[in-house]
Amino acid sequence: MAVTLTVHGAEQDQELDIQLHEFCIGRDATCNYSIDSDGISRFHFVSVINDERVTLKDDRSRNGTYVNGRWLRGELELSDRDAIQAGPARFTINIADDDASDSDGNETIAFDEGTHLNQRVSERLKELND
């Protein structure tokens, strides 16, 4: 199963190739993908890949996590193309049965065991809010 997370930016989207069992997004620098925004909690949400399931868990964030416009309470199994919102940040989960290639020209960053990215997206978030 191939899982990617699209980070929606003002000018260009970014694809994150998720190859970890657990993937954390938040403001803290130790998250797999960190976002420098006051609207994002230090540890906002975690996606978990188990067997043939992908779940999303809100990590007791201050502003909440939304899936397809609905407030996430606890944990939820995700489906392909579900929309996720955490504060001002917007994402789309992409779940495929095989390794489909990214043909839309978006930048792709692979995350596997041992990978840590302290990616700051505050400029993109500011653009979204303007």
Side-chain angles (χ1 to χ4, degrees):
M1 174 171 54
V3 180
T4 61
L5 187 68
T6 304
V7 181
H8 297 288
E11 293 182 20
Q12 182 178 6
D13 293 345
Q14 183 178 46
E15 295 289 325
L16 307 178
D17 183 11
I18 310 300
Q19 299 174 13
L20 297 169
H21 170 68
E22 290 188 3
F23 189 84
C24 179
I25 292 183
R27 195 177 68 238
D28 195 89
T30 63
C31 291
N32 299 106
Y33 190 82
S34 63
I35 301 171
D36 188 18
S37 170
D38 290 339
I40 302 291
S41 294
R42 286 187 36 214
F43 302 98
H44 205 100
F45 68 81
V46 175
S47 66
V48 178
I49 301 172
N50 281 325
D51 301 317
E52 297 299 314
R53 298 179 57 211
V54 179
T55 58
L56 188 72
K57 178 183 175 187
D58 183 89
D59 204 6
R60 298 179 300 187
S61 66
R62 184 177 38 153
N63 293 324
T65 301
Y66 296 83
V67 177
N68 299 325
R70 303 184 101 176
W71 183 31
L72 173 63
R73 293 182 185 186
E75 189 172 308
L76 174 73
E77 183 173 351
L78 295 174
S79 299
D80 185 43
R81 309 296 298 157
D82 277 346
I84 303 165
Q85 183 162 357
R90 296 179 307 114
F91 310 89
T92 301
I93 191 78
N94 308 290
I95 305 168
D97 290 333
D98 55 23
D99 292 333
S101 64
D102 183 17
S103 61
D104 59 6
N106 290 334
E107 176 185 5
T108 301
I109 300 173
F111 290 88
D112 55 19
E113 292 301 328
T115 301
H116 176 76
L117 175 68
N118 186 6
Q119 175 78 31
R120 299 291 182 195
V121 293
S122 61
E123 289 179 19
R124 289 185 182 176
L125 292 173
K126 287 179 186 175
E127 291 172 5
L128 286 172
N129 290 329
D130 290 340

